[in-house]
Amino acid sequence: MSEHTLHFKPAEGFRARSKAVVDNPFLRQSFRGAMDFLMSKRAAQFPDAGELASLRTLGESIRQYNLAKLPTLLEQLEANLTRNGIQVHWAETPEEANAIILGICQRIGTELMVKGKSMVSEEIELNHAAEAAGVAALESDMGEYIVQLADEKPSHIIMPAIHKTKEEIARLFADKVEGVDYTDNVDALIQIGRNVLRQKFLEADIGLSGVNFAVAETGTLCLVENEGNGRMCTTAPPVHIAITGIEKIVEKLEHIPPLLSLLTRSATGQNISTYFNMISSPRKPGEKDGPAEVHLVLLDNGRSQAYADEQLRKTLQCIRCGACMNHCPVYTRIGGHAYGTTYPGPIGKIISPHMLGLDATSSMATASSLCGACGEVCPVKIPIPELLMRLREEAFTAPHANPSMLGQGAGYSWLMTSVWKGWAAVYRSPALYAVATWLGSRFAWLMPAKQGAWTSVRVPLKPAPKRLRDMLKDRG
């Protein structure tokens, strides 16, 4: 386990950031409407409950099968990629990943890199690192391009600019894009973005993309997208750099169709995405297009910690569809920026502690009603509520000598633990319970009027003047 610093917003500010969104009726309405839209599109893609159940079970089995063989598959993937002419780099931390990518930029002397959509590049905050190194990293996914212009982070892993209206985007383009007048015509806005980006594809020396699946048996990198910008990033510039987490590997090509079906139908309610790119080598002699160099950066960043624990390993089954976020009653009300981490919502709550440590993210595990919606819709059946309970246990139990997670015990409070132990003792013992309720009913006037967060929106808790057992006794 290694420590590092990222420009995420501290978890201590989660409550204030959440309140700011909840107090903004416009944002609440926007998120509610967007999530309802995505949920209805997903539901329309799975009209047959039996087919959905079968496909989810198959997806879970495929992910667990490949994770069980992960060390071997990583070696096989590296060997086959190298044989195909793709250069493989290993990075334990975001800093190492940035150094590898910027080292390539420095070697070829580029000042411009165009990026396809990649949450792993957001995870390592590549744009910040590139800017500091004098390299411009331009997002080419339309949603990512919009949030980059606004100097914001994505608020959703599939739809980065879902929190913005067309009017806000129109003002942004008029302010930030040279020679553009205000228009809130969506088609015109898309065309403006395309005109800017197409020129940059021609100018850039490096294209960077993410990877949805890496196939070990063939040494193939698979990229799912809708806009075509991923294909442009991976073919137009002379150098292509792909970056992915080490968990995105499957052993065989035949493992991909079920996962792809689950991914597109769960993410955007599409039966299939517009593009499915398969990259197996740089441009070969005689070929007219494609990059001369292809690199793959395999990033750990805490994934080994999750992998080492049999229960927490299920976190790595994720295929990044975002369905858990779309169905989460908390995310629906506060959006993605309130979390302050690269991955928001339920999946962010269970994966961020491995990347940033529990000391930085302990409050994330408690930001859930545990309603179970996330686990019910997860296409690969990640038991998110169970993992949240495990993370709460790791965060709030006393620190011990051999922690299984970075920051274990970060939220521990002797006073709070004592209160809960006392509560448990009272509820385990009928005699203690009888005494406690008798005292509560007789001394209710001692209850404070201010009871923390509870009384910020509710009347104070106050025991009834007479217990139920006493009322039943009076009736005879």
Side-chain angles (χ1 to χ4, degrees), residues 306-339:
Y307 187 80
D309 186 286
E310 188 174 354
Q311 183 184 24
L312 298 175
R313 183 183 301 176
K314 295 177 182 177
T315 306
L316 303 179
Q317 292 173 205
C318 181
I319 56 174
R320 303 290 192 271
C321 70
C324 60
M325 299 159 60
N326 303 342
H327 292 74
C328 174
V330 177
Y331 178 90
T332 299
R333 282 159 181 78
I334 66 174
H337 289 159
Y339 293 87

PDB file of all heavy atoms in Angstrom, residues 306-339:
ATOM      1  N   ALA A 306      -7.723  -4.336  -2.836  1.00  0.00           N
ATOM      2  CA  ALA A 306      -9.048  -4.937  -2.941  1.00  0.00           C
ATOM      3  C   ALA A 306      -8.947  -6.396  -3.367  1.00  0.00           C
ATOM      4  O   ALA A 306      -9.679  -7.256  -2.868  1.00  0.00           O
ATOM      5  CB  ALA A 306      -9.898  -4.153  -3.942  1.00  0.00           C
ATOM      6  N   TYR A 307      -8.016  -6.683  -4.267  1.00  0.00           N
ATOM      7  CA  TYR A 307      -7.871  -8.051  -4.782  1.00  0.00           C
ATOM      8  C   TYR A 307      -7.447  -9.031  -3.695  1.00  0.00           C
ATOM      9  O   TYR A 307      -7.846 -10.196  -3.693  1.00  0.00           O
ATOM     10  CB  TYR A 307      -6.841  -8.069  -5.908  1.00  0.00           C
ATOM     11  CG  TYR A 307      -6.734  -9.392  -6.609  1.00  0.00           C
ATOM     12  CD1 TYR A 307      -7.656  -9.751  -7.572  1.00  0.00           C
ATOM     13  CD2 TYR A 307      -5.726 -10.295  -6.278  1.00  0.00           C
ATOM     14  CE1 TYR A 307      -7.586 -10.981  -8.211  1.00  0.00           C
ATOM     15  CE2 TYR A 307      -5.636 -11.525  -6.910  1.00  0.00           C
ATOM     16  CZ  TYR A 307      -6.572 -11.865  -7.879  1.00  0.00           C
ATOM     17  OH  TYR A 307      -6.499 -13.085  -8.501  1.00  0.00           O
ATOM     18  N   ALA A 308      -6.667  -8.538  -2.738  1.00  0.00           N
ATOM     19  CA  ALA A 308      -6.116  -9.432  -1.710  1.00  0.00           C
ATOM     20  C   ALA A 308      -7.168  -9.939  -0.737  1.00  0.00           C
ATOM     21  O   ALA A 308      -6.943 -10.938  -0.038  1.00  0.00           O
ATOM     22  CB  ALA A 308      -5.012  -8.704  -0.930  1.00  0.00           C
ATOM     23  N   ASP A 309      -8.321  -9.289  -0.685  1.00  0.00           N
ATOM     24  CA  ASP A 309      -9.378  -9.683   0.240  1.00  0.00           C
ATOM     25  C   ASP A 309     -10.514 -10.327  -0.564  1.00  0.00           C
ATOM     26  O   ASP A 309     -11.045  -9.711  -1.484  1.00  0.00           O
ATOM     27  CB  ASP A 309      -9.896  -8.453   0.994  1.00  0.00           C
ATOM     28  CG  ASP A 309     -10.901  -8.813   2.068  1.00  0.00           C
ATOM     29  OD1 ASP A 309     -12.060  -9.160   1.721  1.00  0.00           O
ATOM     30  OD2 ASP A 309     -10.535  -8.748   3.252  1.00  0.00           O
ATOM     31  N   GLU A 310     -10.874 -11.560  -0.206  1.00  0.00           N
ATOM     32  CA  GLU A 310     -11.845 -12.308  -1.002  1.00  0.00           C
ATOM     33  C   GLU A 310     -13.180 -11.574  -1.137  1.00  0.00           C
ATOM     34  O   GLU A 310     -13.802 -11.594  -2.195  1.00  0.00           O
ATOM     35  CB  GLU A 310     -12.071 -13.690  -0.388  1.00  0.00           C
ATOM     36  CG  GLU A 310     -12.924 -14.603  -1.246  1.00  0.00           C
ATOM     37  CD  GLU A 310     -13.012 -16.006  -0.687  1.00  0.00           C
ATOM     38  OE1 GLU A 310     -12.308 -16.304   0.312  1.00  0.00           O
ATOM     39  OE2 GLU A 310     -13.780 -16.797  -1.221  1.00  0.00           O
ATOM     40  N   GLN A 311     -13.634 -10.928  -0.049  1.00  0.00           N
ATOM     41  CA  GLN A 311     -14.915 -10.219  -0.119  1.00  0.00           C
ATOM     42  C   GLN A 311     -14.780  -8.910  -0.896  1.00  0.00           C
ATOM     43  O   GLN A 311     -15.579  -8.615  -1.783  1.00  0.00           O
ATOM     44  CB  GLN A 311     -15.435  -9.919   1.290  1.00  0.00           C
ATOM     45  CG  GLN A 311     -16.803  -9.245   1.282  1.00  0.00           C
ATOM     46  CD  GLN A 311     -17.276  -8.855   2.676  1.00  0.00           C
ATOM     47  OE1 GLN A 311     -16.475  -8.662   3.594  1.00  0.00           O
ATOM     48  NE2 GLN A 311     -18.587  -8.759   2.846  1.00  0.00           N
ATOM     49  N   LEU A 312     -13.750  -8.134  -0.576  1.00  0.00           N
ATOM     50  CA  LEU A 312     -13.574  -6.835  -1.236  1.00  0.00           C
ATOM     51  C   LEU A 312     -13.182  -6.969  -2.698  1.00  0.00           C
ATOM     52  O   LEU A 312     -13.341  -6.032  -3.481  1.00  0.00           O
ATOM     53  CB  LEU A 312     -12.525  -6.016  -0.481  1.00  0.00           C
ATOM     54  CG  LEU A 312     -12.883  -5.676   0.977  1.00  0.00           C
ATOM     55  CD1 LEU A 312     -11.731  -4.963   1.662  1.00  0.00           C
ATOM     56  CD2 LEU A 312     -14.146  -4.829   1.045  1.00  0.00           C
ATOM     57  N   ARG A 313     -12.681  -8.146  -3.088  1.00  0.00           N
ATOM     58  CA  ARG A 313     -12.313  -8.374  -4.492  1.00  0.00           C
ATOM     59  C   ARG A 313     -13.502  -8.183  -5.419  1.00  0.00           C
ATOM     60  O   ARG A 313     -13.352  -7.814  -6.591  1.00  0.00           O
ATOM     61  CB  ARG A 313     -11.748  -9.787  -4.653  1.00  0.00           C
ATOM     62  CG  ARG A 313     -11.260 -10.106  -6.059  1.00  0.00           C
ATOM     63  CD  ARG A 313     -10.782 -11.527  -6.195  1.00  0.00           C
ATOM     64  NE  ARG A 313      -9.687 -11.822  -5.283  1.00  0.00           N
ATOM     65  CZ  ARG A 313      -9.134 -13.032  -5.151  1.00  0.00           C
ATOM     66  NH1 ARG A 313      -9.610 -14.034  -5.878  1.00  0.00           N
ATOM     67  NH2 ARG A 313      -8.145 -13.232  -4.319  1.00  0.00           N
ATOM     68  N   LYS A 314     -14.704  -8.415  -4.909  1.00  0.00           N
ATOM     69  CA  LYS A 314     -15.901  -8.266  -5.752  1.00  0.00           C
ATOM     70  C   LYS A 314     -16.065  -6.842  -6.267  1.00  0.00           C
ATOM     71  O   LYS A 314     -16.761  -6.606  -7.251  1.00  0.00           O
ATOM     72  CB  LYS A 314     -17.143  -8.702  -4.958  1.00  0.00           C
ATOM     73  CG  LYS A 314     -17.130 -10.185  -4.602  1.00  0.00           C
ATOM     74  CD  LYS A 314     -18.306 -10.587  -3.754  1.00  0.00           C
ATOM     75  CE  LYS A 314     -18.214 -12.065  -3.389  1.00  0.00           C
ATOM     76  NZ  LYS A 314     -19.308 -12.498  -2.486  1.00  0.00           N
ATOM     77  N   THR A 315     -15.429  -5.890  -5.586  1.00  0.00           N
ATOM     78  CA  THR A 315     -15.431  -4.509  -6.075  1.00  0.00           C
ATOM     79  C   THR A 315     -14.890  -4.435  -7.501  1.00  0.00           C
ATOM     80  O   THR A 315     -15.342  -3.637  -8.317  1.00  0.00           O
ATOM     81  CB  THR A 315     -14.553  -3.631  -5.155  1.00  0.00           C
ATOM     82  OG1 THR A 315     -14.995  -3.780  -3.807  1.00  0.00           O
ATOM     83  CG2 THR A 315     -14.602  -2.170  -5.555  1.00  0.00           C
ATOM     84  N   LEU A 316     -13.898  -5.287  -7.801  1.00  0.00           N
ATOM     85  CA  LEU A 316     -13.216  -5.238  -9.094  1.00  0.00           C
ATOM     86  C   LEU A 316     -14.027  -5.862 -10.223  1.00  0.00           C
ATOM     87  O   LEU A 316     -13.590  -5.866 -11.373  1.00  0.00           O
ATOM     88  CB  LEU A 316     -11.848  -5.922  -8.983  1.00  0.00           C
ATOM     89  CG  LEU A 316     -10.900  -5.367  -7.909  1.00  0.00           C
ATOM     90  CD1 LEU A 316      -9.598  -6.135  -7.896  1.00  0.00           C
ATOM     91  CD2 LEU A 316     -10.646  -3.879  -8.142  1.00  0.00           C
ATOM     92  N   GLN A 317     -15.197  -6.419  -9.905  1.00  0.00           N
ATOM     93  CA  GLN A 317     -16.059  -6.959 -10.956  1.00  0.00           C
ATOM     94  C   GLN A 317     -16.666  -5.850 -11.822  1.00  0.00           C
ATOM     95  O   GLN A 317     -17.168  -6.114 -12.912  1.00  0.00           O
ATOM     96  CB  GLN A 317     -17.218  -7.780 -10.342  1.00  0.00           C
ATOM     97  CG  GLN A 317     -16.778  -9.054  -9.675  1.00  0.00           C
ATOM     98  CD  GLN A 317     -17.904  -9.759  -8.930  1.00  0.00           C
ATOM     99  OE1 GLN A 317     -17.649 -10.510  -7.997  1.00  0.00           O
ATOM    100  NE2 GLN A 317     -19.152  -9.537  -9.304  1.00  0.00           N
ATOM    101  N   CYS A 318     -16.609  -4.625 -11.338  1.00  0.00           N
ATOM    102  CA  CYS A 318     -17.314  -3.506 -11.983  1.00  0.00           C
ATOM    103  C   CYS A 318     -16.916  -3.328 -13.448  1.00  0.00           C
ATOM    104  O   CYS A 318     -15.734  -3.388 -13.794  1.00  0.00           O
ATOM    105  CB  CYS A 318     -17.018  -2.224 -11.208  1.00  0.00           C
ATOM    106  SG  CYS A 318     -17.847  -0.769 -11.886  1.00  0.00           S
ATOM    107  N   ILE A 319     -17.927  -3.089 -14.310  1.00  0.00           N
ATOM    108  CA  ILE A 319     -17.663  -2.813 -15.733  1.00  0.00           C
ATOM    109  C   ILE A 319     -17.957  -1.346 -16.060  1.00  0.00           C
ATOM    110  O   ILE A 319     -18.036  -0.978 -17.226  1.00  0.00           O
ATOM    111  CB  ILE A 319     -18.480  -3.743 -16.647  1.00  0.00           C
ATOM    112  CG1 ILE A 319     -19.981  -3.653 -16.352  1.00  0.00           C
ATOM    113  CG2 ILE A 319     -17.993  -5.184 -16.522  1.00  0.00           C
ATOM    114  CD1 ILE A 319     -20.848  -4.437 -17.326  1.00  0.00           C
ATOM    115  N   ARG A 320     -18.137  -0.512 -15.025  1.00  0.00           N
ATOM    116  CA  ARG A 320     -18.291   0.947 -15.180  1.00  0.00           C
ATOM    117  C   ARG A 320     -19.492   1.328 -16.061  1.00  0.00           C
ATOM    118  O   ARG A 320     -19.362   2.134 -16.978  1.00  0.00           O
ATOM    119  CB  ARG A 320     -17.016   1.570 -15.759  1.00  0.00           C
ATOM    120  CG  ARG A 320     -15.758   1.320 -14.953  1.00  0.00           C
ATOM    121  CD  ARG A 320     -15.757   2.075 -13.635  1.00  0.00           C
ATOM    122  NE  ARG A 320     -14.437   2.027 -13.034  1.00  0.00           N
ATOM    123  CZ  ARG A 320     -14.015   1.069 -12.204  1.00  0.00           C
ATOM    124  NH1 ARG A 320     -14.847   0.101 -11.853  1.00  0.00           N
ATOM    125  NH2 ARG A 320     -12.791   1.104 -11.706  1.00  0.00           N
ATOM    126  N   CYS A 321     -20.652   0.774 -15.758  1.00  0.00           N
ATOM    127  CA  CYS A 321     -21.855   1.135 -16.506  1.00  0.00           C
ATOM    128  C   CYS A 321     -22.576   2.312 -15.879  1.00  0.00           C
ATOM    129  O   CYS A 321     -23.334   3.011 -16.552  1.00  0.00           O
ATOM    130  CB  CYS A 321     -22.789  -0.067 -16.613  1.00  0.00           C
ATOM    131  SG  CYS A 321     -23.554  -0.536 -15.042  1.00  0.00           S
ATOM    132  N   GLY A 322     -22.411   2.506 -14.569  1.00  0.00           N
ATOM    133  CA  GLY A 322     -23.061   3.626 -13.885  1.00  0.00           C
ATOM    134  C   GLY A 322     -24.497   3.350 -13.475  1.00  0.00           C
ATOM    135  O   GLY A 322     -25.171   4.255 -12.957  1.00  0.00           O
ATOM    136  N   ALA A 323     -24.992   2.132 -13.671  1.00  0.00           N
ATOM    137  CA  ALA A 323     -26.393   1.843 -13.320  1.00  0.00           C
ATOM    138  C   ALA A 323     -26.646   2.029 -11.827  1.00  0.00           C
ATOM    139  O   ALA A 323     -27.734   2.458 -11.416  1.00  0.00           O
ATOM    140  CB  ALA A 323     -26.755   0.417 -13.745  1.00  0.00           C
ATOM    141  N   CYS A 324     -25.657   1.701 -11.006  1.00  0.00           N
ATOM    142  CA  CYS A 324     -25.835   1.858  -9.553  1.00  0.00           C
ATOM    143  C   CYS A 324     -26.048   3.323  -9.198  1.00  0.00           C
ATOM    144  O   CYS A 324     -26.831   3.647  -8.288  1.00  0.00           O
ATOM    145  CB  CYS A 324     -24.644   1.280  -8.797  1.00  0.00           C
ATOM    146  SG  CYS A 324     -23.049   2.045  -9.189  1.00  0.00           S
ATOM    147  N   MET A 325     -25.386   4.226  -9.913  1.00  0.00           N
ATOM    148  CA  MET A 325     -25.550   5.659  -9.658  1.00  0.00           C
ATOM    149  C   MET A 325     -26.937   6.117 -10.092  1.00  0.00           C
ATOM    150  O   MET A 325     -27.595   6.879  -9.380  1.00  0.00           O
ATOM    151  CB  MET A 325     -24.478   6.444 -10.422  1.00  0.00           C
ATOM    152  CG  MET A 325     -23.066   6.088 -10.010  1.00  0.00           C
ATOM    153  SD  MET A 325     -21.840   6.523 -11.250  1.00  0.00           S
ATOM    154  CE  MET A 325     -22.102   8.270 -11.340  1.00  0.00           C
ATOM    155  N   ASN A 326     -27.363   5.653 -11.260  1.00  0.00           N
ATOM    156  CA  ASN A 326     -28.653   6.090 -11.787  1.00  0.00           C
ATOM    157  C   ASN A 326     -29.812   5.705 -10.872  1.00  0.00           C
ATOM    158  O   ASN A 326     -30.848   6.367 -10.853  1.00  0.00           O
ATOM    159  CB  ASN A 326     -28.886   5.489 -13.175  1.00  0.00           C
ATOM    160  CG  ASN A 326     -27.778   5.835 -14.150  1.00  0.00           C
ATOM    161  OD1 ASN A 326     -27.010   6.766 -13.916  1.00  0.00           O
ATOM    162  ND2 ASN A 326     -27.667   5.071 -15.219  1.00  0.00           N
ATOM    163  N   HIS A 327     -29.654   4.598 -10.147  1.00  0.00           N
ATOM    164  CA  HIS A 327     -30.738   4.103  -9.294  1.00  0.00           C
ATOM    165  C   HIS A 327     -30.542   4.453  -7.820  1.00  0.00           C
ATOM    166  O   HIS A 327     -31.359   4.063  -6.982  1.00  0.00           O
ATOM    167  CB  HIS A 327     -30.855   2.579  -9.439  1.00  0.00           C
ATOM    168  CG  HIS A 327     -31.334   2.138 -10.803  1.00  0.00           C
ATOM    169  ND1 HIS A 327     -30.527   2.182 -11.913  1.00  0.00           N
ATOM    170  CD2 HIS A 327     -32.540   1.679 -11.219  1.00  0.00           C
ATOM    171  CE1 HIS A 327     -31.216   1.744 -12.958  1.00  0.00           C
ATOM    172  NE2 HIS A 327     -32.434   1.432 -12.570  1.00  0.00           N
ATOM    173  N   CYS A 328     -29.489   5.159  -7.494  1.00  0.00           N
ATOM    174  CA  CYS A 328     -29.195   5.463  -6.080  1.00  0.00           C
ATOM    175  C   CYS A 328     -29.994   6.691  -5.620  1.00  0.00           C
ATOM    176  O   CYS A 328     -29.877   7.769  -6.216  1.00  0.00           O
ATOM    177  CB  CYS A 328     -27.698   5.729  -5.911  1.00  0.00           C
ATOM    178  SG  CYS A 328     -27.257   6.278  -4.247  1.00  0.00           S
ATOM    179  N   PRO A 329     -30.789   6.556  -4.562  1.00  0.00           N
ATOM    180  CA  PRO A 329     -31.565   7.719  -4.096  1.00  0.00           C
ATOM    181  C   PRO A 329     -30.688   8.844  -3.556  1.00  0.00           C
ATOM    182  O   PRO A 329     -31.117  10.002  -3.549  1.00  0.00           O
ATOM    183  CB  PRO A 329     -32.445   7.126  -2.992  1.00  0.00           C
ATOM    184  CG  PRO A 329     -31.742   5.886  -2.553  1.00  0.00           C
ATOM    185  CD  PRO A 329     -31.048   5.353  -3.772  1.00  0.00           C
ATOM    186  N   VAL A 330     -29.474   8.526  -3.121  1.00  0.00           N
ATOM    187  CA  VAL A 330     -28.570   9.573  -2.636  1.00  0.00           C
ATOM    188  C   VAL A 330     -27.958  10.316  -3.818  1.00  0.00           C
ATOM    189  O   VAL A 330     -28.007  11.549  -3.890  1.00  0.00           O
ATOM    190  CB  VAL A 330     -27.465   8.967  -1.738  1.00  0.00           C
ATOM    191  CG1 VAL A 330     -26.488  10.055  -1.297  1.00  0.00           C
ATOM    192  CG2 VAL A 330     -28.077   8.273  -0.534  1.00  0.00           C
ATOM    193  N   TYR A 331     -27.389   9.559  -4.773  1.00  0.00           N
ATOM    194  CA  TYR A 331     -26.788  10.211  -5.948  1.00  0.00           C
ATOM    195  C   TYR A 331     -27.828  11.050  -6.690  1.00  0.00           C
ATOM    196  O   TYR A 331     -27.534  12.165  -7.153  1.00  0.00           O
ATOM    197  CB  TYR A 331     -26.183   9.160  -6.897  1.00  0.00           C
ATOM    198  CG  TYR A 331     -25.596   9.795  -8.136  1.00  0.00           C
ATOM    199  CD1 TYR A 331     -24.269  10.203  -8.169  1.00  0.00           C
ATOM    200  CD2 TYR A 331     -26.399  10.039  -9.263  1.00  0.00           C
ATOM    201  CE1 TYR A 331     -23.744  10.823  -9.295  1.00  0.00           C
ATOM    202  CE2 TYR A 331     -25.878  10.660 -10.384  1.00  0.00           C
ATOM    203  CZ  TYR A 331     -24.553  11.049 -10.394  1.00  0.00           C
ATOM    204  OH  TYR A 331     -24.045  11.680 -11.503  1.00  0.00           O
ATOM    205  N   THR A 332     -29.027  10.533  -6.812  1.00  0.00           N
ATOM    206  CA  THR A 332     -30.073  11.232  -7.553  1.00  0.00           C
ATOM    207  C   THR A 332     -30.360  12.610  -6.967  1.00  0.00           C
ATOM    208  O   THR A 332     -30.745  13.528  -7.682  1.00  0.00           O
ATOM    209  CB  THR A 332     -31.367  10.396  -7.552  1.00  0.00           C
ATOM    210  OG1 THR A 332     -31.096   9.141  -8.188  1.00  0.00           O
ATOM    211  CG2 THR A 332     -32.487  11.094  -8.297  1.00  0.00           C
ATOM    212  N   ARG A 333     -30.133  12.761  -5.666  1.00  0.00           N
ATOM    213  CA  ARG A 333     -30.428  14.040  -5.016  1.00  0.00           C
ATOM    214  C   ARG A 333     -29.222  14.965  -4.919  1.00  0.00           C
ATOM    215  O   ARG A 333     -29.381  16.184  -4.843  1.00  0.00           O
ATOM    216  CB  ARG A 333     -31.008  13.777  -3.622  1.00  0.00           C
ATOM    217  CG  ARG A 333     -32.476  13.366  -3.682  1.00  0.00           C
ATOM    218  CD  ARG A 333     -32.927  12.639  -2.449  1.00  0.00           C
ATOM    219  NE  ARG A 333     -34.329  12.259  -2.581  1.00  0.00           N
ATOM    220  CZ  ARG A 333     -34.767  11.231  -3.302  1.00  0.00           C
ATOM    221  NH1 ARG A 333     -33.908  10.481  -3.975  1.00  0.00           N
ATOM    222  NH2 ARG A 333     -36.053  10.945  -3.373  1.00  0.00           N
ATOM    223  N   ILE A 334     -28.016  14.414  -4.913  1.00  0.00           N
ATOM    224  CA  ILE A 334     -26.856  15.297  -4.699  1.00  0.00           C
ATOM    225  C   ILE A 334     -25.902  15.333  -5.887  1.00  0.00           C
ATOM    226  O   ILE A 334     -24.994  16.166  -5.918  1.00  0.00           O
ATOM    227  CB  ILE A 334     -26.076  14.891  -3.427  1.00  0.00           C
ATOM    228  CG1 ILE A 334     -25.428  13.520  -3.600  1.00  0.00           C
ATOM    229  CG2 ILE A 334     -26.980  14.931  -2.208  1.00  0.00           C
ATOM    230  CD1 ILE A 334     -24.526  13.137  -2.437  1.00  0.00           C
ATOM    231  N   GLY A 335     -26.071  14.436  -6.864  1.00  0.00           N
ATOM    232  CA  GLY A 335     -25.186  14.442  -8.026  1.00  0.00           C
ATOM    233  C   GLY A 335     -23.781  13.974  -7.692  1.00  0.00           C
ATOM    234  O   GLY A 335     -23.507  13.510  -6.574  1.00  0.00           O
ATOM    235  N   GLY A 336     -22.882  14.104  -8.655  1.00  0.00           N
ATOM    236  CA  GLY A 336     -21.556  13.519  -8.500  1.00  0.00           C
ATOM    237  C   GLY A 336     -20.521  14.397  -7.825  1.00  0.00           C
ATOM    238  O   GLY A 336     -19.613  13.900  -7.159  1.00  0.00           O
ATOM    239  N   HIS A 337     -20.619  15.709  -7.981  1.00  0.00           N
ATOM    240  CA  HIS A 337     -19.569  16.589  -7.456  1.00  0.00           C
ATOM    241  C   HIS A 337     -19.523  16.605  -5.935  1.00  0.00           C
ATOM    242  O   HIS A 337     -18.470  16.871  -5.350  1.00  0.00           O
ATOM    243  CB  HIS A 337     -19.775  18.012  -7.985  1.00  0.00           C
ATOM    244  CG  HIS A 337     -19.462  18.144  -9.442  1.00  0.00           C
ATOM    245  ND1 HIS A 337     -19.940  19.162 -10.238  1.00  0.00           N
ATOM    246  CD2 HIS A 337     -18.711  17.371 -10.265  1.00  0.00           C
ATOM    247  CE1 HIS A 337     -19.506  19.011 -11.483  1.00  0.00           C
ATOM    248  NE2 HIS A 337     -18.756  17.930 -11.521  1.00  0.00           N
ATOM    249  N   ALA A 338     -20.653  16.337  -5.290  1.00  0.00           N
ATOM    250  CA  ALA A 338     -20.680  16.384  -3.822  1.00  0.00           C
ATOM    251  C   ALA A 338     -19.735  15.361  -3.209  1.00  0.00           C
ATOM    252  O   ALA A 338     -19.181  15.587  -2.124  1.00  0.00           O
ATOM    253  CB  ALA A 338     -22.101  16.151  -3.321  1.00  0.00           C
ATOM    254  N   TYR A 339     -19.523  14.241  -3.901  1.00  0.00           N
ATOM    255  CA  TYR A 339     -18.677  13.189  -3.336  1.00  0.00           C
ATOM    256  C   TYR A 339     -17.211  13.631  -3.254  1.00  0.00           C
ATOM    257  O   TYR A 339     -16.479  13.210  -2.371  1.00  0.00           O
ATOM    258  CB  TYR A 339     -18.795  11.917  -4.168  1.00  0.00           C
ATOM    259  CG  TYR A 339     -20.158  11.273  -4.088  1.00  0.00           C
ATOM    260  CD1 TYR A 339     -21.183  11.665  -4.949  1.00  0.00           C
ATOM    261  CD2 TYR A 339     -20.440  10.277  -3.158  1.00  0.00           C
ATOM    262  CE1 TYR A 339     -22.446  11.093  -4.879  1.00  0.00           C
ATOM    263  CE2 TYR A 339     -21.700   9.696  -3.093  1.00  0.00           C
ATOM    264  CZ  TYR A 339     -22.697  10.106  -3.956  1.00  0.00           C
ATOM    265  OH  TYR A 339     -23.945   9.545  -3.884  1.00  0.00           O
TER     266      TYR A 339
END
